PDB file of all heavy atoms in Angstrom:
ATOM      1  N   ASP H 879     127.111 243.974 -63.558  1.00 98.00           N
ATOM      2  CA  ASP H 879     125.892 244.557 -62.944  1.00 98.00           C
ATOM      3  C   ASP H 879     124.874 243.479 -62.658  1.00 98.00           C
ATOM      4  O   ASP H 879     123.733 243.452 -63.135  1.00 98.00           O
ATOM      5  CB  ASP H 879     125.316 245.617 -63.816  1.00 98.00           C
ATOM      6  CG  ASP H 879     126.065 247.010 -63.669  1.00 98.00           C
ATOM      7  OD1 ASP H 879     127.038 246.998 -63.031  1.00 98.00           O
ATOM      8  OD2 ASP H 879     125.596 247.974 -64.270  1.00 98.00           O
ATOM      9  N   ALA H 880     125.380 242.440 -61.996  1.00 98.00           N
ATOM     10  CA  ALA H 880     124.510 241.252 -61.681  1.00 98.00           C
ATOM     11  C   ALA H 880     124.855 240.873 -60.221  1.00 98.00           C
ATOM     12  O   ALA H 880     126.002 240.979 -59.819  1.00 98.00           O
ATOM     13  CB  ALA H 880     124.702 240.114 -62.687  1.00 98.00           C
ATOM     14  N   LEU H 881     123.926 240.229 -59.608  1.00 98.00           N
ATOM     15  CA  LEU H 881     124.069 239.778 -58.231  1.00 98.00           C
ATOM     16  C   LEU H 881     123.908 238.269 -58.220  1.00 98.00           C
ATOM     17  O   LEU H 881     123.448 237.692 -57.183  1.00 98.00           O
ATOM     18  CB  LEU H 881     123.071 240.463 -57.256  1.00 98.00           C
ATOM     19  CG  LEU H 881     123.378 241.920 -57.137  1.00 98.00           C
ATOM     20  CD1 LEU H 881     122.343 242.562 -56.166  1.00 98.00           C
ATOM     21  CD2 LEU H 881     124.813 242.277 -56.686  1.00 98.00           C
ATOM     22  N   ALA H 882     124.093 237.594 -59.411  1.00 95.00           N
ATOM     23  CA  ALA H 882     123.993 236.125 -59.449  1.00 95.00           C
ATOM     24  C   ALA H 882     125.170 235.563 -58.707  1.00 95.00           C
ATOM     25  O   ALA H 882     126.339 236.012 -58.837  1.00 95.00           O
ATOM     26  CB  ALA H 882     123.977 235.745 -60.889  1.00 95.00           C
ATOM     27  N   LEU H 883     124.940 234.449 -58.071  1.00 97.00           N
ATOM     28  CA  LEU H 883     126.003 233.867 -57.196  1.00 97.00           C
ATOM     29  C   LEU H 883     127.002 232.995 -57.999  1.00 97.00           C
ATOM     30  O   LEU H 883     126.581 232.361 -58.979  1.00 97.00           O
ATOM     31  CB  LEU H 883     125.374 232.935 -56.102  1.00 97.00           C
ATOM     32  CG  LEU H 883     124.471 233.664 -55.119  1.00 97.00           C
ATOM     33  CD1 LEU H 883     123.874 232.656 -54.128  1.00 97.00           C
ATOM     34  CD2 LEU H 883     125.138 234.783 -54.457  1.00 97.00           C
ATOM     35  N   PRO H 884     128.254 233.044 -57.703  1.00 96.00           N
ATOM     36  CA  PRO H 884     129.240 232.187 -58.413  1.00 96.00           C
ATOM     37  C   PRO H 884     129.016 230.756 -58.042  1.00 96.00           C
ATOM     38  O   PRO H 884     128.259 230.403 -57.096  1.00 96.00           O
ATOM     39  CB  PRO H 884     130.562 232.664 -57.809  1.00 96.00           C
ATOM     40  CG  PRO H 884     130.205 233.277 -56.457  1.00 96.00           C
ATOM     41  CD  PRO H 884     128.811 233.811 -56.584  1.00 96.00           C
ATOM     42  N   THR H 885     129.556 229.792 -58.805  1.00 91.00           N
ATOM     43  CA  THR H 885     129.392 228.441 -58.642  1.00 91.00           C
ATOM     44  C   THR H 885     130.460 227.749 -57.856  1.00 91.00           C
ATOM     45  O   THR H 885     130.420 226.512 -57.678  1.00 91.00           O
ATOM     46  CB  THR H 885     129.229 227.723 -59.974  1.00 91.00           C
ATOM     47  OG1 THR H 885     130.434 227.967 -60.680  1.00 91.00           O
ATOM     48  CG2 THR H 885     128.012 228.203 -60.748  1.00 91.00           C
ATOM     49  N   ARG H 886     131.424 228.503 -57.375  1.00 94.00           N
ATOM     50  CA  ARG H 886     132.498 227.993 -56.567  1.00 94.00           C
ATOM     51  C   ARG H 886     132.885 229.015 -55.463  1.00 94.00           C
ATOM     52  O   ARG H 886     132.483 230.175 -55.499  1.00 94.00           O
ATOM     53  CB  ARG H 886     133.651 227.617 -57.423  1.00 94.00           C
ATOM     54  CG  ARG H 886     134.236 228.738 -58.297  1.00 94.00           C
ATOM     55  CD  ARG H 886     135.631 228.422 -58.697  1.00 94.00           C
ATOM     56  NE  ARG H 886     136.615 228.318 -57.715  1.00 94.00           N
ATOM     57  CZ  ARG H 886     137.839 227.866 -57.849  1.00 94.00           C
ATOM     58  NH1 ARG H 886     138.286 227.539 -59.044  1.00 94.00           N
ATOM     59  NH2 ARG H 886     138.655 227.744 -56.808  1.00 94.00           N
ATOM     60  N   GLU H 887     133.728 228.586 -54.585  1.00 96.00           N
ATOM     61  CA  GLU H 887     134.117 229.432 -53.407  1.00 96.00           C
ATOM     62  C   GLU H 887     134.981 230.639 -54.054  1.00 96.00           C
ATOM     63  O   GLU H 887     135.642 230.447 -55.050  1.00 96.00           O
ATOM     64  CB  GLU H 887     135.005 228.701 -52.497  1.00 96.00           C
ATOM     65  CG  GLU H 887     135.302 229.462 -51.179  1.00 96.00           C
ATOM     66  CD  GLU H 887     135.964 228.629 -50.135  1.00 96.00           C
ATOM     67  OE1 GLU H 887     135.524 227.439 -49.964  1.00 96.00           O
ATOM     68  OE2 GLU H 887     136.874 229.124 -49.436  1.00 96.00           O
ATOM     69  N   VAL H 888     134.843 231.770 -53.434  1.00 97.00           N
ATOM     70  CA  VAL H 888     135.470 232.980 -54.026  1.00 97.00           C
ATOM     71  C   VAL H 888     136.528 233.473 -52.976  1.00 97.00           C
ATOM     72  O   VAL H 888     136.289 233.602 -51.757  1.00 97.00           O
ATOM     73  CB  VAL H 888     134.494 234.095 -54.234  1.00 97.00           C
ATOM     74  CG1 VAL H 888     135.154 235.399 -54.616  1.00 97.00           C
ATOM     75  CG2 VAL H 888     133.525 233.587 -55.395  1.00 97.00           C
ATOM     76  N   ASP H 889     137.755 233.820 -53.428  1.00 98.00           N
ATOM     77  CA  ASP H 889     138.848 234.356 -52.652  1.00 98.00           C
ATOM     78  C   ASP H 889     138.491 235.944 -52.520  1.00 98.00           C
ATOM     79  O   ASP H 889     138.427 236.403 -51.425  1.00 98.00           O
ATOM     80  CB  ASP H 889     140.139 234.107 -53.254  1.00 98.00           C
ATOM     81  CG  ASP H 889     141.340 234.584 -52.357  1.00 98.00           C
ATOM     82  OD1 ASP H 889     140.999 235.037 -51.225  1.00 98.00           O
ATOM     83  OD2 ASP H 889     142.454 234.355 -52.782  1.00 98.00           O
ATOM     84  N   VAL H 890     138.433 236.568 -53.618  1.00 98.00           N
ATOM     85  CA  VAL H 890     138.297 238.094 -53.692  1.00 98.00           C
ATOM     86  C   VAL H 890     137.020 238.390 -54.524  1.00 98.00           C
ATOM     87  O   VAL H 890     136.920 238.010 -55.639  1.00 98.00           O
ATOM     88  CB  VAL H 890     139.447 238.765 -54.257  1.00 98.00           C
ATOM     89  CG1 VAL H 890     139.192 240.280 -54.248  1.00 98.00           C
ATOM     90  CG2 VAL H 890     140.768 238.437 -53.540  1.00 98.00           C
ATOM     91  N   LEU H 891     136.067 239.089 -53.896  1.00 98.00           N
ATOM     92  CA  LEU H 891     134.867 239.530 -54.560  1.00 98.00           C
ATOM     93  C   LEU H 891     134.907 240.958 -54.831  1.00 98.00           C
ATOM     94  O   LEU H 891     135.087 241.787 -53.805  1.00 98.00           O
ATOM     95  CB  LEU H 891     133.575 239.144 -53.655  1.00 98.00           C
ATOM     96  CG  LEU H 891     132.350 239.741 -54.149  1.00 98.00           C
ATOM     97  CD1 LEU H 891     131.849 239.104 -55.432  1.00 98.00           C
ATOM     98  CD2 LEU H 891     131.230 239.535 -53.047  1.00 98.00           C
ATOM     99  N   LEU H 892     134.732 241.407 -56.030  1.00 98.00           N
ATOM    100  CA  LEU H 892     134.563 242.822 -56.341  1.00 98.00           C
ATOM    101  C   LEU H 892     133.004 243.087 -56.241  1.00 98.00           C
ATOM    102  O   LEU H 892     132.251 242.702 -57.153  1.00 98.00           O
ATOM    103  CB  LEU H 892     135.078 243.079 -57.737  1.00 98.00           C
ATOM    104  CG  LEU H 892     136.563 242.681 -57.978  1.00 98.00           C
ATOM    105  CD1 LEU H 892     136.946 243.149 -59.457  1.00 98.00           C
ATOM    106  CD2 LEU H 892     137.465 243.197 -56.917  1.00 98.00           C
ATOM    107  N   ALA H 893     132.596 243.641 -55.174  1.00 98.00           N
ATOM    108  CA  ALA H 893     131.194 243.709 -54.864  1.00 98.00           C
ATOM    109  C   ALA H 893     130.577 245.125 -55.198  1.00 98.00           C
ATOM    110  O   ALA H 893     131.077 246.134 -54.647  1.00 98.00           O
ATOM    111  CB  ALA H 893     130.974 243.470 -53.356  1.00 98.00           C
ATOM    112  N   PRO H 894     129.569 245.174 -56.034  1.00 98.00           N
ATOM    113  CA  PRO H 894     128.870 246.479 -56.353  1.00 98.00           C
ATOM    114  C   PRO H 894     128.315 247.011 -55.031  1.00 98.00           C
ATOM    115  O   PRO H 894     127.707 246.329 -54.264  1.00 98.00           O
ATOM    116  CB  PRO H 894     127.822 246.035 -57.316  1.00 98.00           C
ATOM    117  CG  PRO H 894     128.228 244.803 -57.929  1.00 98.00           C
ATOM    118  CD  PRO H 894     128.927 244.049 -56.839  1.00 98.00           C
ATOM    119  N   LEU H 895     128.578 248.302 -54.858  1.00 97.00           N
ATOM    120  CA  LEU H 895     128.125 248.992 -53.576  1.00 97.00           C
ATOM    121  C   LEU H 895     126.804 249.729 -53.797  1.00 97.00           C
ATOM    122  O   LEU H 895     126.054 249.913 -52.876  1.00 97.00           O
ATOM    123  CB  LEU H 895     129.214 249.928 -53.118  1.00 97.00           C
ATOM    124  CG  LEU H 895     129.237 250.339 -51.645  1.00 97.00           C
ATOM    125  CD1 LEU H 895     129.457 249.127 -50.718  1.00 97.00           C
ATOM    126  CD2 LEU H 895     130.317 251.428 -51.413  1.00 97.00           C
ATOM    127  N   ALA H 896     126.610 250.152 -55.035  1.00 97.00           N
ATOM    128  CA  ALA H 896     125.402 250.941 -55.326  1.00 97.00           C
ATOM    129  C   ALA H 896     125.092 250.967 -56.804  1.00 97.00           C
ATOM    130  O   ALA H 896     125.966 250.644 -57.585  1.00 97.00           O
ATOM    131  CB  ALA H 896     125.546 252.377 -54.783  1.00 97.00           C
ATOM    132  N   GLY H 897     123.926 251.349 -57.204  1.00 96.00           N
ATOM    133  CA  GLY H 897     123.573 251.508 -58.567  1.00 96.00           C
ATOM    134  C   GLY H 897     122.080 251.744 -58.619  1.00 96.00           C
ATOM    135  O   GLY H 897     121.371 251.403 -57.697  1.00 96.00           O
ATOM    136  N   PRO H 898     121.579 252.222 -59.759  1.00 96.00           N
ATOM    137  CA  PRO H 898     120.134 252.423 -59.994  1.00 96.00           C
ATOM    138  C   PRO H 898     119.341 251.155 -60.020  1.00 96.00           C
ATOM    139  O   PRO H 898     118.107 251.199 -59.977  1.00 96.00           O
ATOM    140  CB  PRO H 898     120.102 253.132 -61.335  1.00 96.00           C
ATOM    141  CG  PRO H 898     121.255 252.755 -62.027  1.00 96.00           C
ATOM    142  CD  PRO H 898     122.375 252.610 -60.984  1.00 96.00           C
ATOM    143  N   TRP H 899     119.994 250.006 -59.994  1.00 97.00           N
ATOM    144  CA  TRP H 899     119.383 248.712 -60.058  1.00 97.00           C
ATOM    145  C   TRP H 899     119.470 247.897 -58.749  1.00 97.00           C
ATOM    146  O   TRP H 899     119.102 246.738 -58.708  1.00 97.00           O
ATOM    147  CB  TRP H 899     120.014 247.880 -61.151  1.00 97.00           C
ATOM    148  CG  TRP H 899     121.490 247.960 -61.234  1.00 97.00           C
ATOM    149  CD1 TRP H 899     122.188 248.800 -61.980  1.00 97.00           C
ATOM    150  CD2 TRP H 899     122.358 247.164 -60.554  1.00 97.00           C
ATOM    151  NE1 TRP H 899     123.533 248.556 -61.797  1.00 97.00           N
ATOM    152  CE2 TRP H 899     123.708 247.601 -60.913  1.00 97.00           C
ATOM    153  CE3 TRP H 899     122.272 246.071 -59.599  1.00 97.00           C
ATOM    154  CZ2 TRP H 899     124.864 246.997 -60.369  1.00 97.00           C
ATOM    155  CZ3 TRP H 899     123.450 245.507 -59.106  1.00 97.00           C
ATOM    156  CH2 TRP H 899     124.692 245.986 -59.444  1.00 97.00           C
ATOM    157  N   MET H 900     119.908 248.570 -57.736  1.00 97.00           N
ATOM    158  CA  MET H 900     120.105 247.873 -56.430  1.00 97.00           C
ATOM    159  C   MET H 900     119.833 248.671 -55.202  1.00 97.00           C
ATOM    160  O   MET H 900     120.057 249.923 -55.320  1.00 97.00           O
ATOM    161  CB  MET H 900     121.558 247.241 -56.324  1.00 97.00           C
ATOM    162  CG  MET H 900     122.618 248.197 -56.165  1.00 97.00           C
ATOM    163  SD  MET H 900     124.281 247.476 -56.043  1.00 97.00           S
ATOM    164  CE  MET H 900     124.206 246.746 -54.342  1.00 97.00           C
ATOM    165  N   LYS H 901     119.549 248.121 -54.112  1.00 97.00           N
ATOM    166  CA  LYS H 901     119.483 248.660 -52.825  1.00 97.00           C
ATOM    167  C   LYS H 901     120.687 248.277 -52.040  1.00 97.00           C
ATOM    168  O   LYS H 901     121.319 247.316 -52.328  1.00 97.00           O
ATOM    169  CB  LYS H 901     118.187 248.278 -52.107  1.00 97.00           C
ATOM    170  CG  LYS H 901     116.898 248.615 -52.758  1.00 97.00           C
ATOM    171  CD  LYS H 901     115.642 248.115 -51.939  1.00 97.00           C
ATOM    172  CE  LYS H 901     115.608 246.621 -51.761  1.00 97.00           C
ATOM    173  NZ  LYS H 901     114.387 246.218 -51.100  1.00 97.00           N
ATOM    174  N   LEU H 902     121.037 249.053 -50.965  1.00 97.00           N
ATOM    175  CA  LEU H 902     122.053 248.717 -50.127  1.00 97.00           C
ATOM    176  C   LEU H 902     121.907 247.300 -49.578  1.00 97.00           C
ATOM    177  O   LEU H 902     122.833 246.417 -49.384  1.00 97.00           O
ATOM    178  CB  LEU H 902     122.175 249.690 -48.918  1.00 97.00           C
ATOM    179  CG  LEU H 902     123.247 249.311 -47.904  1.00 97.00           C
ATOM    180  CD1 LEU H 902     124.643 249.151 -48.399  1.00 97.00           C
ATOM    181  CD2 LEU H 902     123.257 250.518 -46.803  1.00 97.00           C
ATOM    182  N   ALA H 903     120.701 246.960 -49.135  1.00 98.00           N
ATOM    183  CA  ALA H 903     120.349 245.620 -48.634  1.00 98.00           C
ATOM    184  C   ALA H 903     120.606 244.487 -49.654  1.00 98.00           C
ATOM    185  O   ALA H 903     121.162 243.444 -49.238  1.00 98.00           O
ATOM    186  CB  ALA H 903     118.890 245.489 -48.196  1.00 98.00           C
ATOM    187  N   ASP H 904     120.464 244.743 -50.920  1.00 98.00           N
ATOM    188  CA  ASP H 904     120.839 243.801 -51.922  1.00 98.00           C
ATOM    189  C   ASP H 904     122.298 243.548 -51.914  1.00 98.00           C
ATOM    190  O   ASP H 904     122.792 242.377 -52.031  1.00 98.00           O
ATOM    191  CB  ASP H 904     120.436 244.276 -53.334  1.00 98.00           C
ATOM    192  CG  ASP H 904     118.953 244.461 -53.515  1.00 98.00           C
ATOM    193  OD1 ASP H 904     118.187 243.748 -52.843  1.00 98.00           O
ATOM    194  OD2 ASP H 904     118.576 245.372 -54.319  1.00 98.00           O
ATOM    195  N   GLY H 905     123.114 244.562 -51.783  1.00 98.00           N
ATOM    196  CA  GLY H 905     124.540 244.396 -51.744  1.00 98.00           C
ATOM    197  C   GLY H 905     125.048 243.696 -50.585  1.00 98.00           C
ATOM    198  O   GLY H 905     125.910 242.760 -50.676  1.00 98.00           O
ATOM    199  N   VAL H 906     124.429 243.952 -49.406  1.00 98.00           N
ATOM    200  CA  VAL H 906     124.831 243.203 -48.184  1.00 98.00           C
ATOM    201  C   VAL H 906     124.452 241.700 -48.333  1.00 98.00           C
ATOM    202  O   VAL H 906     125.267 240.842 -48.018  1.00 98.00           O
ATOM    203  CB  VAL H 906     124.080 243.799 -47.005  1.00 98.00           C
ATOM    204  CG1 VAL H 906     124.332 242.892 -45.695  1.00 98.00           C
ATOM    205  CG2 VAL H 906     124.541 245.248 -46.698  1.00 98.00           C
ATOM    206  N   ASP H 907     123.284 241.418 -48.763  1.00 98.00           N
ATOM    207  CA  ASP H 907     122.885 240.078 -49.027  1.00 98.00           C
ATOM    208  C   ASP H 907     123.747 239.367 -49.975  1.00 98.00           C
ATOM    209  O   ASP H 907     124.049 238.112 -49.795  1.00 98.00           O
ATOM    210  CB  ASP H 907     121.373 239.965 -49.531  1.00 98.00           C
ATOM    211  CG  ASP H 907     120.402 240.348 -48.449  1.00 98.00           C
ATOM    212  OD1 ASP H 907     120.784 240.333 -47.251  1.00 98.00           O
ATOM    213  OD2 ASP H 907     119.183 240.565 -48.855  1.00 98.00           O
ATOM    214  N   PHE H 908     124.233 239.958 -51.048  1.00 98.00           N
ATOM    215  CA  PHE H 908     125.102 239.347 -51.999  1.00 98.00           C
ATOM    216  C   PHE H 908     126.406 239.036 -51.300  1.00 98.00           C
ATOM    217  O   PHE H 908     126.863 237.920 -51.520  1.00 98.00           O
ATOM    218  CB  PHE H 908     125.399 240.410 -53.174  1.00 98.00           C
ATOM    219  CG  PHE H 908     126.216 239.865 -54.243  1.00 98.00           C
ATOM    220  CD1 PHE H 908     125.913 238.669 -54.947  1.00 98.00           C
ATOM    221  CD2 PHE H 908     127.346 240.579 -54.639  1.00 98.00           C
ATOM    222  CE1 PHE H 908     126.701 238.257 -55.951  1.00 98.00           C
ATOM    223  CE2 PHE H 908     128.140 240.130 -55.719  1.00 98.00           C
ATOM    224  CZ  PHE H 908     127.843 238.977 -56.380  1.00 98.00           C
ATOM    225  N   VAL H 909     126.996 239.916 -50.611  1.00 98.00           N
ATOM    226  CA  VAL H 909     128.283 239.621 -49.939  1.00 98.00           C
ATOM    227  C   VAL H 909     128.101 238.523 -48.843  1.00 98.00           C
ATOM    228  O   VAL H 909     128.921 237.601 -48.855  1.00 98.00           O
ATOM    229  CB  VAL H 909     128.769 240.887 -49.125  1.00 98.00           C
ATOM    230  CG1 VAL H 909     129.930 240.564 -48.181  1.00 98.00           C
ATOM    231  CG2 VAL H 909     129.219 241.933 -50.162  1.00 98.00           C
ATOM    232  N   ARG H 910     127.002 238.533 -48.198  1.00 98.00           N
ATOM    233  CA  ARG H 910     126.688 237.376 -47.184  1.00 98.00           C
ATOM    234  C   ARG H 910     126.598 236.043 -47.901  1.00 98.00           C
ATOM    235  O   ARG H 910     126.978 234.990 -47.388  1.00 98.00           O
ATOM    236  CB  ARG H 910     125.538 237.706 -46.397  1.00 98.00           C
ATOM    237  CG  ARG H 910     125.830 238.918 -45.413  1.00 98.00           C
ATOM    238  CD  ARG H 910     124.485 239.340 -44.658  1.00 98.00           C
ATOM    239  NE  ARG H 910     123.974 238.210 -43.797  1.00 98.00           N
ATOM    240  CZ  ARG H 910     124.401 238.047 -42.603  1.00 98.00           C
ATOM    241  NH1 ARG H 910     125.360 238.734 -42.028  1.00 98.00           N
ATOM    242  NH2 ARG H 910     123.844 236.998 -41.893  1.00 98.00           N
ATOM    243  N   ALA H 911     125.932 236.051 -49.042  1.00 98.00           N
ATOM    244  CA  ALA H 911     125.735 234.838 -49.738  1.00 98.00           C
ATOM    245  C   ALA H 911     126.971 234.210 -50.415  1.00 98.00           C
ATOM    246  O   ALA H 911     127.254 233.038 -50.321  1.00 98.00           O
ATOM    247  CB  ALA H 911     124.707 234.975 -50.872  1.00 98.00           C
ATOM    248  N   VAL H 912     127.832 235.142 -50.862  1.00 98.00           N
ATOM    249  CA  VAL H 912     129.052 234.636 -51.575  1.00 98.00           C
ATOM    250  C   VAL H 912     130.126 234.316 -50.470  1.00 98.00           C
ATOM    251  O   VAL H 912     130.882 233.286 -50.590  1.00 98.00           O
ATOM    252  CB  VAL H 912     129.635 235.810 -52.461  1.00 98.00           C
ATOM    253  CG1 VAL H 912     130.970 235.376 -52.994  1.00 98.00           C
ATOM    254  CG2 VAL H 912     128.642 236.146 -53.585  1.00 98.00           C
ATOM    255  N   ALA H 913     130.109 235.072 -49.402  1.00 98.00           N
ATOM    256  CA  ALA H 913     131.081 234.782 -48.224  1.00 98.00           C
ATOM    257  C   ALA H 913     132.514 234.608 -48.692  1.00 98.00           C
ATOM    258  O   ALA H 913     133.081 233.626 -48.387  1.00 98.00           O
ATOM    259  CB  ALA H 913     130.614 233.589 -47.433  1.00 98.00           C
ATOM    260  N   PRO H 914     133.054 235.563 -49.387  1.00 98.00           N
ATOM    261  CA  PRO H 914     134.538 235.516 -49.783  1.00 98.00           C
ATOM    262  C   PRO H 914     135.435 235.755 -48.668  1.00 98.00           C
ATOM    263  O   PRO H 914     135.003 236.221 -47.580  1.00 98.00           O
ATOM    264  CB  PRO H 914     134.631 236.570 -50.872  1.00 98.00           C
ATOM    265  CG  PRO H 914     133.686 237.611 -50.327  1.00 98.00           C
ATOM    266  CD  PRO H 914     132.492 236.924 -49.748  1.00 98.00           C
ATOM    267  N   ARG H 915     136.672 235.570 -48.889  1.00 98.00           N
ATOM    268  CA  ARG H 915     137.731 235.925 -47.852  1.00 98.00           C
ATOM    269  C   ARG H 915     137.838 237.429 -47.856  1.00 98.00           C
ATOM    270  O   ARG H 915     138.056 237.953 -46.753  1.00 98.00           O
ATOM    271  CB  ARG H 915     139.042 235.266 -48.267  1.00 98.00           C
ATOM    272  CG  ARG H 915     138.999 233.779 -48.160  1.00 98.00           C
ATOM    273  CD  ARG H 915     140.341 233.134 -48.443  1.00 98.00           C
ATOM    274  NE  ARG H 915     140.288 231.717 -48.407  1.00 98.00           N
ATOM    275  CZ  ARG H 915     141.319 230.880 -48.951  1.00 98.00           C
ATOM    276  NH1 ARG H 915     142.293 231.368 -49.595  1.00 98.00           N
ATOM    277  NH2 ARG H 915     141.195 229.558 -48.827  1.00 98.00           N
ATOM    278  N   THR H 916     137.805 238.000 -49.069  1.00 98.00           N
ATOM    279  CA  THR H 916     138.027 239.500 -49.136  1.00 98.00           C
ATOM    280  C   THR H 916     136.945 240.129 -50.011  1.00 98.00           C
ATOM    281  O   THR H 916     136.609 239.547 -51.062  1.00 98.00           O
ATOM    282  CB  THR H 916     139.408 239.833 -49.647  1.00 98.00           C
ATOM    283  OG1 THR H 916     140.474 239.237 -48.875  1.00 98.00           O
ATOM    284  CG2 THR H 916     139.616 241.302 -49.836  1.00 98.00           C
ATOM    285  N   VAL H 917     136.366 241.229 -49.596  1.00 98.00           N
ATOM    286  CA  VAL H 917     135.476 242.035 -50.433  1.00 98.00           C
ATOM    287  C   VAL H 917     136.169 243.365 -50.731  1.00 98.00           C
ATOM    288  O   VAL H 917     136.611 244.025 -49.847  1.00 98.00           O
ATOM    289  CB  VAL H 917     134.200 242.281 -49.721  1.00 98.00           C
ATOM    290  CG1 VAL H 917     133.320 243.262 -50.502  1.00 98.00           C
ATOM    291  CG2 VAL H 917     133.484 240.982 -49.454  1.00 98.00           C
ATOM    292  N   ILE H 918     136.178 243.722 -52.031  1.00 98.00           N
ATOM    293  CA  ILE H 918     136.539 245.080 -52.438  1.00 98.00           C
ATOM    294  C   ILE H 918     135.303 245.749 -52.957  1.00 98.00           C
ATOM    295  O   ILE H 918     134.763 245.361 -53.997  1.00 98.00           O
ATOM    296  CB  ILE H 918     137.642 245.054 -53.556  1.00 98.00           C
ATOM    297  CG1 ILE H 918     138.988 244.334 -52.925  1.00 98.00           C
ATOM    298  CG2 ILE H 918     137.971 246.409 -54.020  1.00 98.00           C
ATOM    299  CD1 ILE H 918     140.053 244.181 -53.910  1.00 98.00           C
ATOM    300  N   PRO H 919     134.837 246.798 -52.302  1.00 98.00           N
ATOM    301  CA  PRO H 919     133.638 247.478 -52.845  1.00 98.00           C
ATOM    302  C   PRO H 919     133.977 248.296 -54.046  1.00 98.00           C
ATOM    303  O   PRO H 919     134.974 249.019 -54.143  1.00 98.00           O
ATOM    304  CB  PRO H 919     133.216 248.364 -51.694  1.00 98.00           C
ATOM    305  CG  PRO H 919     134.464 248.595 -50.833  1.00 98.00           C
ATOM    306  CD  PRO H 919     135.313 247.384 -51.054  1.00 98.00           C
ATOM    307  N   ILE H 920     133.073 248.239 -55.012  1.00 98.00           N
ATOM    308  CA  ILE H 920     133.233 248.913 -56.280  1.00 98.00           C
ATOM    309  C   ILE H 920     131.897 249.502 -56.752  1.00 98.00           C
ATOM    310  O   ILE H 920     130.940 249.401 -55.990  1.00 98.00           O
ATOM    311  CB  ILE H 920     133.724 248.099 -57.401  1.00 98.00           C
ATOM    312  CG1 ILE H 920     132.866 246.907 -57.832  1.00 98.00           C
ATOM    313  CG2 ILE H 920     135.153 247.434 -57.026  1.00 98.00           C
ATOM    314  CD1 ILE H 920     133.115 246.150 -59.056  1.00 98.00           C
ATOM    315  N   HIS H 921     131.854 250.212 -57.892  1.00 98.00           N
ATOM    316  CA  HIS H 921     130.606 250.643 -58.538  1.00 98.00           C
ATOM    317  C   HIS H 921     129.852 251.563 -57.603  1.00 98.00           C
ATOM    318  O   HIS H 921     128.664 251.522 -57.302  1.00 98.00           O
ATOM    319  CB  HIS H 921     129.675 249.464 -58.905  1.00 98.00           C
ATOM    320  CG  HIS H 921     128.713 249.710 -59.962  1.00 98.00           C
ATOM    321  ND1 HIS H 921     127.497 250.305 -59.813  1.00 98.00           N
ATOM    322  CD2 HIS H 921     128.811 249.438 -61.309  1.00 98.00           C
ATOM    323  CE1 HIS H 921     126.948 250.393 -60.981  1.00 98.00           C
ATOM    324  NE2 HIS H 921     127.753 249.862 -61.904  1.00 98.00           N
ATOM    325  N   ASP H 922     130.574 252.627 -57.161  1.00 97.00           N
ATOM    326  CA  ASP H 922     130.001 253.541 -56.178  1.00 97.00           C
ATOM    327  C   ASP H 922     130.171 255.014 -56.555  1.00 97.00           C
ATOM    328  O   ASP H 922     130.012 255.955 -55.619  1.00 97.00           O
ATOM    329  CB  ASP H 922     130.573 253.283 -54.712  1.00 97.00           C
ATOM    330  CG  ASP H 922     131.985 253.432 -54.687  1.00 97.00           C
ATOM    331  OD1 ASP H 922     132.728 253.819 -55.711  1.00 97.00           O
ATOM    332  OD2 ASP H 922     132.628 253.261 -53.562  1.00 97.00           O
TER     333      ASP H 922
END
């Protein structure tokens, strides 16, 4: 339950989609910042 960025390139990101601690825009920004090859949405 954190949106802190990894320190290296990511192949597959398990990306939180929703939660009482985030907005949809936060999730989109996180995916865009990490820029993995594959995103699997979770936590929904």
Side-chain angles (χ1 to χ4, degrees):
D879 282 6
L881 299 178
L883 299 179
T885 58
R886 57 165 295 171
E887 188 171 323
V888 173
D889 188 0
V890 180
L891 172 65
L892 307 184
L895 201 63
W899 43 268
M900 67 179 290
K901 300 180 296 185
L902 173 55
D904 297 329
V906 173
D907 288 343
F908 182 57
V909 168
R910 290 174 62 85
V912 176
R915 293 177 182 168
T916 301
V917 172
I918 298 176
I920 64 169
H921 206 275
D922 60 0

